[in-house]
Amino acid sequence: MNIKNVAVAGSGVLGGQIAFQTAFHGFTVKLYDINDEVLAKAKKRFETELSENYKTDLKASEEEIKSTLERISYTANLAEAVAEADLIIEAIPENVEIKKDFYHKLAAVAPEETIFATNSSTLLPSQFAEDTGRPEKFCALHFANEIWIYNTAEIMGHPGTDKVVFDTLVEFAKQIGMVPLEVHKEQPGYILNSLLVPFLSAGWNLLVNEVADAKTIDKTWMIATGAPKGPFGFVDMVGLNTVYNIDKNKAEKTQDPFTIKKVQYIKEHFIDKNKLGMSTGEGFYTYPNPEYKQEDFLK
């Protein structure tokens, strides 16, 4: 299988990064989202913030950025987005019903040979395999935030994934500058989030139970370990809407008292105020120059 044309569904923080990284490495990319307004925001982010990040962090030239931007097109028409796609990467909200509905719609318009991949960070491919209408061509392909720096790509199939499809995605990951991490058995959280989520959960426990404030928690971790950011710097990068959606689903299923309390906290302090982290310019910190990157933060 040879991948040339890629569609990305979802123009949020990570979906946008996936599209830009893929185009940067020479692939033709169509970015799909539900309306032109959100696509326009993504396009602006590409032309400013992401372009500058690639110039600063990867020493990308003006010509490389220009070529990258020219390889990306935008559409709110799903059929148009996937008409020529060899691969579509889904990066829409972490909500089971939303994803299932999306895959039903996608299956009706995508070419038979198109590979489907989910960028889900918590949900398993087997939860959606039948909804895709092509379970053998469906796999997880999960990226970390700030994809151009933290260049991991976790590839995780389900029991019905064709090995050729799995291997194709491993090779594709290499072609777009990723380090492919093969996950050989379905595991919620894959590798990265199986390690990261307990760390972030410990931070949330300290915050929501009023043991310490967010900046003190981050400062403690950064000083003691030498890490570049603490748990709430990570939360801003992941996106508070993503955390909220995941925990809201968990709270509804388990009725766990702490999770309910945490969801209410996130809604009141962040969701209702549209403070979603890096994507909106404010979460626990303000961006593009968060306090934790300033020299006196650790004093």
Side-chain angles (χ1 to χ4, degrees), residues 272-296:
D272 289 348
K273 297 177 180 179
N274 197 39
K275 296 180 179 180
L276 307 182
M278 288 183 180
S279 64
T280 58
E282 186 175 3
F284 284 96
Y285 301 92
T286 55
Y287 297 86
N289 299 304
E291 192 177 344
Y292 65 79
K293 286 189 176 182
Q294 296 171 14
E295 285 185 15
D296 61 352

PDB file of all heavy atoms in Angstrom, residues 272-296:
ATOM      1  N   ASP A 272     -16.704  26.894  30.730  1.00  0.00           N
ATOM      2  CA  ASP A 272     -17.689  27.975  30.664  1.00  0.00           C
ATOM      3  C   ASP A 272     -17.054  29.325  30.324  1.00  0.00           C
ATOM      4  O   ASP A 272     -17.740  30.246  29.870  1.00  0.00           O
ATOM      5  CB  ASP A 272     -18.443  28.095  31.992  1.00  0.00           C
ATOM      6  CG  ASP A 272     -19.395  26.921  32.223  1.00  0.00           C
ATOM      7  OD1 ASP A 272     -19.635  26.163  31.259  1.00  0.00           O
ATOM      8  OD2 ASP A 272     -19.878  26.765  33.362  1.00  0.00           O
ATOM      9  N   LYS A 273     -15.748  29.445  30.539  1.00  0.00           N
ATOM     10  CA  LYS A 273     -15.033  30.694  30.267  1.00  0.00           C
ATOM     11  C   LYS A 273     -14.221  30.621  28.974  1.00  0.00           C
ATOM     12  O   LYS A 273     -13.467  31.550  28.660  1.00  0.00           O
ATOM     13  CB  LYS A 273     -14.110  31.033  31.446  1.00  0.00           C
ATOM     14  CG  LYS A 273     -14.866  31.276  32.748  1.00  0.00           C
ATOM     15  CD  LYS A 273     -13.899  31.535  33.902  1.00  0.00           C
ATOM     16  CE  LYS A 273     -14.661  31.771  35.202  1.00  0.00           C
ATOM     17  NZ  LYS A 273     -13.735  32.003  36.356  1.00  0.00           N
ATOM     18  N   ASN A 274     -14.394  29.513  28.240  1.00  0.00           N
ATOM     19  CA  ASN A 274     -13.650  29.272  26.999  1.00  0.00           C
ATOM     20  C   ASN A 274     -12.139  29.378  27.203  1.00  0.00           C
ATOM     21  O   ASN A 274     -11.408  29.848  26.339  1.00  0.00           O
ATOM     22  CB  ASN A 274     -14.098  30.220  25.883  1.00  0.00           C
ATOM     23  CG  ASN A 274     -13.664  29.725  24.509  1.00  0.00           C
ATOM     24  OD1 ASN A 274     -13.697  28.520  24.231  1.00  0.00           O
ATOM     25  ND2 ASN A 274     -13.251  30.632  23.640  1.00  0.00           N
ATOM     26  N   LYS A 275     -11.692  28.920  28.346  1.00  0.00           N
ATOM     27  CA  LYS A 275     -10.260  28.841  28.626  1.00  0.00           C
ATOM     28  C   LYS A 275      -9.848  27.378  28.446  1.00  0.00           C
ATOM     29  O   LYS A 275      -9.868  26.594  29.400  1.00  0.00           O
ATOM     30  CB  LYS A 275      -9.953  29.317  30.048  1.00  0.00           C
ATOM     31  CG  LYS A 275     -10.265  30.779  30.295  1.00  0.00           C
ATOM     32  CD  LYS A 275      -9.938  31.174  31.737  1.00  0.00           C
ATOM     33  CE  LYS A 275     -10.211  32.647  31.995  1.00  0.00           C
ATOM     34  NZ  LYS A 275      -9.886  33.019  33.403  1.00  0.00           N
ATOM     35  N   LEU A 276      -9.508  27.022  27.219  1.00  0.00           N
ATOM     36  CA  LEU A 276      -9.284  25.617  26.883  1.00  0.00           C
ATOM     37  C   LEU A 276      -7.806  25.246  26.791  1.00  0.00           C
ATOM     38  O   LEU A 276      -7.463  24.132  26.411  1.00  0.00           O
ATOM     39  CB  LEU A 276      -9.987  25.288  25.559  1.00  0.00           C
ATOM     40  CG  LEU A 276     -11.478  25.641  25.490  1.00  0.00           C
ATOM     41  CD1 LEU A 276     -12.054  25.220  24.153  1.00  0.00           C
ATOM     42  CD2 LEU A 276     -12.265  25.032  26.643  1.00  0.00           C
ATOM     43  N   GLY A 277      -6.935  26.184  27.135  1.00  0.00           N
ATOM     44  CA  GLY A 277      -5.505  25.897  27.050  1.00  0.00           C
ATOM     45  C   GLY A 277      -4.864  26.631  25.889  1.00  0.00           C
ATOM     46  O   GLY A 277      -5.290  27.719  25.493  1.00  0.00           O
ATOM     47  N   MET A 278      -3.844  26.013  25.322  1.00  0.00           N
ATOM     48  CA  MET A 278      -3.096  26.647  24.226  1.00  0.00           C
ATOM     49  C   MET A 278      -3.987  27.045  23.054  1.00  0.00           C
ATOM     50  O   MET A 278      -3.755  28.064  22.400  1.00  0.00           O
ATOM     51  CB  MET A 278      -1.996  25.712  23.731  1.00  0.00           C
ATOM     52  CG  MET A 278      -0.827  25.555  24.671  1.00  0.00           C
ATOM     53  SD  MET A 278       0.445  24.495  23.912  1.00  0.00           S
ATOM     54  CE  MET A 278       1.671  24.494  25.228  1.00  0.00           C
ATOM     55  N   SER A 279      -5.003  26.238  22.769  1.00  0.00           N
ATOM     56  CA  SER A 279      -5.835  26.471  21.582  1.00  0.00           C
ATOM     57  C   SER A 279      -6.585  27.790  21.644  1.00  0.00           C
ATOM     58  O   SER A 279      -6.884  28.393  20.609  1.00  0.00           O
ATOM     59  CB  SER A 279      -6.821  25.318  21.384  1.00  0.00           C
ATOM     60  OG  SER A 279      -7.739  25.252  22.474  1.00  0.00           O
ATOM     61  N   THR A 280      -6.917  28.260  22.854  1.00  0.00           N
ATOM     62  CA  THR A 280      -7.648  29.524  22.995  1.00  0.00           C
ATOM     63  C   THR A 280      -6.769  30.632  23.578  1.00  0.00           C
ATOM     64  O   THR A 280      -7.235  31.754  23.793  1.00  0.00           O
ATOM     65  CB  THR A 280      -8.886  29.349  23.897  1.00  0.00           C
ATOM     66  OG1 THR A 280      -8.469  28.860  25.182  1.00  0.00           O
ATOM     67  CG2 THR A 280      -9.883  28.380  23.276  1.00  0.00           C
ATOM     68  N   GLY A 281      -5.506  30.313  23.838  1.00  0.00           N
ATOM     69  CA  GLY A 281      -4.586  31.320  24.368  1.00  0.00           C
ATOM     70  C   GLY A 281      -4.591  31.435  25.877  1.00  0.00           C
ATOM     71  O   GLY A 281      -3.811  32.194  26.454  1.00  0.00           O
ATOM     72  N   GLU A 282      -5.474  30.678  26.532  1.00  0.00           N
ATOM     73  CA  GLU A 282      -5.516  30.726  27.990  1.00  0.00           C
ATOM     74  C   GLU A 282      -6.115  29.446  28.557  1.00  0.00           C
ATOM     75  O   GLU A 282      -7.090  28.911  28.036  1.00  0.00           O
ATOM     76  CB  GLU A 282      -6.331  31.921  28.484  1.00  0.00           C
ATOM     77  CG  GLU A 282      -6.296  32.114  29.988  1.00  0.00           C
ATOM     78  CD  GLU A 282      -7.009  33.364  30.470  1.00  0.00           C
ATOM     79  OE1 GLU A 282      -7.598  34.069  29.624  1.00  0.00           O
ATOM     80  OE2 GLU A 282      -6.973  33.640  31.680  1.00  0.00           O
ATOM     81  N   GLY A 283      -5.495  28.958  29.605  1.00  0.00           N
ATOM     82  CA  GLY A 283      -5.990  27.821  30.374  1.00  0.00           C
ATOM     83  C   GLY A 283      -5.531  28.056  31.797  1.00  0.00           C
ATOM     84  O   GLY A 283      -5.933  29.027  32.439  1.00  0.00           O
ATOM     85  N   PHE A 284      -4.655  27.206  32.283  1.00  0.00           N
ATOM     86  CA  PHE A 284      -4.007  27.482  33.561  1.00  0.00           C
ATOM     87  C   PHE A 284      -2.992  28.618  33.408  1.00  0.00           C
ATOM     88  O   PHE A 284      -2.695  29.333  34.357  1.00  0.00           O
ATOM     89  CB  PHE A 284      -3.309  26.221  34.088  1.00  0.00           C
ATOM     90  CG  PHE A 284      -4.254  25.211  34.669  1.00  0.00           C
ATOM     91  CD1 PHE A 284      -4.714  24.147  33.912  1.00  0.00           C
ATOM     92  CD2 PHE A 284      -4.701  25.332  35.976  1.00  0.00           C
ATOM     93  CE1 PHE A 284      -5.590  23.216  34.447  1.00  0.00           C
ATOM     94  CE2 PHE A 284      -5.592  24.416  36.518  1.00  0.00           C
ATOM     95  CZ  PHE A 284      -6.031  23.357  35.758  1.00  0.00           C
ATOM     96  N   TYR A 285      -2.479  28.767  32.180  1.00  0.00           N
ATOM     97  CA  TYR A 285      -1.513  29.808  31.859  1.00  0.00           C
ATOM     98  C   TYR A 285      -2.001  30.560  30.631  1.00  0.00           C
ATOM     99  O   TYR A 285      -2.919  30.108  29.940  1.00  0.00           O
ATOM    100  CB  TYR A 285      -0.129  29.195  31.600  1.00  0.00           C
ATOM    101  CG  TYR A 285       0.420  28.415  32.771  1.00  0.00           C
ATOM    102  CD1 TYR A 285       0.193  27.036  32.888  1.00  0.00           C
ATOM    103  CD2 TYR A 285       1.158  29.046  33.769  1.00  0.00           C
ATOM    104  CE1 TYR A 285       0.690  26.324  33.976  1.00  0.00           C
ATOM    105  CE2 TYR A 285       1.666  28.336  34.849  1.00  0.00           C
ATOM    106  CZ  TYR A 285       1.427  26.976  34.953  1.00  0.00           C
ATOM    107  OH  TYR A 285       1.911  26.276  36.034  1.00  0.00           O
ATOM    108  N   THR A 286      -1.375  31.700  30.349  1.00  0.00           N
ATOM    109  CA  THR A 286      -1.699  32.429  29.127  1.00  0.00           C
ATOM    110  C   THR A 286      -0.589  32.211  28.104  1.00  0.00           C
ATOM    111  O   THR A 286       0.586  32.067  28.461  1.00  0.00           O
ATOM    112  CB  THR A 286      -1.862  33.935  29.408  1.00  0.00           C
ATOM    113  OG1 THR A 286      -0.680  34.433  30.046  1.00  0.00           O
ATOM    114  CG2 THR A 286      -3.061  34.189  30.306  1.00  0.00           C
ATOM    115  N   TYR A 287      -0.973  32.193  26.822  1.00  0.00           N
ATOM    116  CA  TYR A 287      -0.050  31.858  25.728  1.00  0.00           C
ATOM    117  C   TYR A 287      -0.033  32.986  24.710  1.00  0.00           C
ATOM    118  O   TYR A 287      -0.995  33.744  24.615  1.00  0.00           O
ATOM    119  CB  TYR A 287      -0.481  30.526  25.102  1.00  0.00           C
ATOM    120  CG  TYR A 287      -0.385  29.397  26.112  1.00  0.00           C
ATOM    121  CD1 TYR A 287      -1.446  29.119  26.976  1.00  0.00           C
ATOM    122  CD2 TYR A 287       0.785  28.665  26.243  1.00  0.00           C
ATOM    123  CE1 TYR A 287      -1.336  28.118  27.935  1.00  0.00           C
ATOM    124  CE2 TYR A 287       0.895  27.662  27.200  1.00  0.00           C
ATOM    125  CZ  TYR A 287      -0.168  27.398  28.040  1.00  0.00           C
ATOM    126  OH  TYR A 287      -0.044  26.423  29.000  1.00  0.00           O
ATOM    127  N   PRO A 288       1.086  33.145  24.013  1.00  0.00           N
ATOM    128  CA  PRO A 288       2.164  32.171  23.735  1.00  0.00           C
ATOM    129  C   PRO A 288       3.337  32.183  24.717  1.00  0.00           C
ATOM    130  O   PRO A 288       4.298  31.466  24.513  1.00  0.00           O
ATOM    131  CB  PRO A 288       2.646  32.582  22.340  1.00  0.00           C
ATOM    132  CG  PRO A 288       2.438  34.065  22.323  1.00  0.00           C
ATOM    133  CD  PRO A 288       1.185  34.316  23.120  1.00  0.00           C
ATOM    134  N   ASN A 289       3.274  32.995  25.775  1.00  0.00           N
ATOM    135  CA  ASN A 289       4.395  33.072  26.718  1.00  0.00           C
ATOM    136  C   ASN A 289       3.941  32.694  28.125  1.00  0.00           C
ATOM    137  O   ASN A 289       3.768  33.569  28.986  1.00  0.00           O
ATOM    138  CB  ASN A 289       4.994  34.489  26.708  1.00  0.00           C
ATOM    139  CG  ASN A 289       5.534  34.877  25.350  1.00  0.00           C
ATOM    140  OD1 ASN A 289       6.379  34.176  24.808  1.00  0.00           O
ATOM    141  ND2 ASN A 289       5.049  35.977  24.804  1.00  0.00           N
ATOM    142  N   PRO A 290       3.739  31.397  28.378  1.00  0.00           N
ATOM    143  CA  PRO A 290       3.245  30.967  29.690  1.00  0.00           C
ATOM    144  C   PRO A 290       4.236  31.261  30.813  1.00  0.00           C
ATOM    145  O   PRO A 290       5.445  31.280  30.596  1.00  0.00           O
ATOM    146  CB  PRO A 290       3.053  29.464  29.508  1.00  0.00           C
ATOM    147  CG  PRO A 290       4.016  29.084  28.434  1.00  0.00           C
ATOM    148  CD  PRO A 290       4.022  30.255  27.492  1.00  0.00           C
ATOM    149  N   GLU A 291       3.703  31.479  31.978  1.00  0.00           N
ATOM    150  CA  GLU A 291       4.507  31.848  33.140  1.00  0.00           C
ATOM    151  C   GLU A 291       5.578  30.809  33.459  1.00  0.00           C
ATOM    152  O   GLU A 291       6.676  31.151  33.906  1.00  0.00           O
ATOM    153  CB  GLU A 291       3.578  32.051  34.341  1.00  0.00           C
ATOM    154  CG  GLU A 291       4.231  32.715  35.536  1.00  0.00           C
ATOM    155  CD  GLU A 291       3.256  32.959  36.662  1.00  0.00           C
ATOM    156  OE1 GLU A 291       2.031  32.897  36.433  1.00  0.00           O
ATOM    157  OE2 GLU A 291       3.724  33.200  37.791  1.00  0.00           O
ATOM    158  N   TYR A 292       5.263  29.512  33.224  1.00  0.00           N
ATOM    159  CA  TYR A 292       6.231  28.478  33.596  1.00  0.00           C
ATOM    160  C   TYR A 292       7.502  28.503  32.739  1.00  0.00           C
ATOM    161  O   TYR A 292       8.494  27.857  33.079  1.00  0.00           O
ATOM    162  CB  TYR A 292       5.593  27.082  33.578  1.00  0.00           C
ATOM    163  CG  TYR A 292       5.119  26.567  32.234  1.00  0.00           C
ATOM    164  CD1 TYR A 292       6.009  26.033  31.299  1.00  0.00           C
ATOM    165  CD2 TYR A 292       3.763  26.584  31.915  1.00  0.00           C
ATOM    166  CE1 TYR A 292       5.573  25.555  30.069  1.00  0.00           C
ATOM    167  CE2 TYR A 292       3.309  26.114  30.683  1.00  0.00           C
ATOM    168  CZ  TYR A 292       4.218  25.603  29.775  1.00  0.00           C
ATOM    169  OH  TYR A 292       3.776  25.124  28.560  1.00  0.00           O
ATOM    170  N   LYS A 293       7.469  29.257  31.624  1.00  0.00           N
ATOM    171  CA  LYS A 293       8.669  29.384  30.791  1.00  0.00           C
ATOM    172  C   LYS A 293       9.506  30.607  31.155  1.00  0.00           C
ATOM    173  O   LYS A 293      10.573  30.818  30.595  1.00  0.00           O
ATOM    174  CB  LYS A 293       8.277  29.448  29.304  1.00  0.00           C
ATOM    175  CG  LYS A 293       7.824  28.112  28.731  1.00  0.00           C
ATOM    176  CD  LYS A 293       7.659  28.197  27.229  1.00  0.00           C
ATOM    177  CE  LYS A 293       7.301  26.833  26.640  1.00  0.00           C
ATOM    178  NZ  LYS A 293       7.176  26.897  25.159  1.00  0.00           N
ATOM    179  N   GLN A 294       9.008  31.395  32.086  1.00  0.00           N
ATOM    180  CA  GLN A 294       9.724  32.603  32.478  1.00  0.00           C
ATOM    181  C   GLN A 294      10.780  32.287  33.538  1.00  0.00           C
ATOM    182  O   GLN A 294      10.607  31.381  34.366  1.00  0.00           O
ATOM    183  CB  GLN A 294       8.733  33.652  32.972  1.00  0.00           C
ATOM    184  CG  GLN A 294       7.774  34.113  31.859  1.00  0.00           C
ATOM    185  CD  GLN A 294       6.646  34.989  32.362  1.00  0.00           C
ATOM    186  OE1 GLN A 294       6.688  35.481  33.482  1.00  0.00           O
ATOM    187  NE2 GLN A 294       5.635  35.163  31.524  1.00  0.00           N
ATOM    188  N   GLU A 295      11.864  33.038  33.509  1.00  0.00           N
ATOM    189  CA  GLU A 295      13.037  32.733  34.317  1.00  0.00           C
ATOM    190  C   GLU A 295      12.752  32.671  35.816  1.00  0.00           C
ATOM    191  O   GLU A 295      13.324  31.844  36.530  1.00  0.00           O
ATOM    192  CB  GLU A 295      14.135  33.777  34.052  1.00  0.00           C
ATOM    193  CG  GLU A 295      14.832  33.577  32.711  1.00  0.00           C
ATOM    194  CD  GLU A 295      15.992  34.531  32.518  1.00  0.00           C
ATOM    195  OE1 GLU A 295      16.418  35.140  33.537  1.00  0.00           O
ATOM    196  OE2 GLU A 295      16.468  34.655  31.397  1.00  0.00           O
ATOM    197  N   ASP A 296      11.876  33.534  36.308  1.00  0.00           N
ATOM    198  CA  ASP A 296      11.674  33.592  37.750  1.00  0.00           C
ATOM    199  C   ASP A 296      10.582  32.653  38.264  1.00  0.00           C
ATOM    200  O   ASP A 296      10.287  32.634  39.459  1.00  0.00           O
ATOM    201  CB  ASP A 296      11.347  35.026  38.187  1.00  0.00           C
ATOM    202  CG  ASP A 296      10.072  35.561  37.542  1.00  0.00           C
ATOM    203  OD1 ASP A 296       9.538  34.878  36.653  1.00  0.00           O
ATOM    204  OD2 ASP A 296       9.634  36.659  37.936  1.00  0.00           O
TER     205      ASP A 296
END
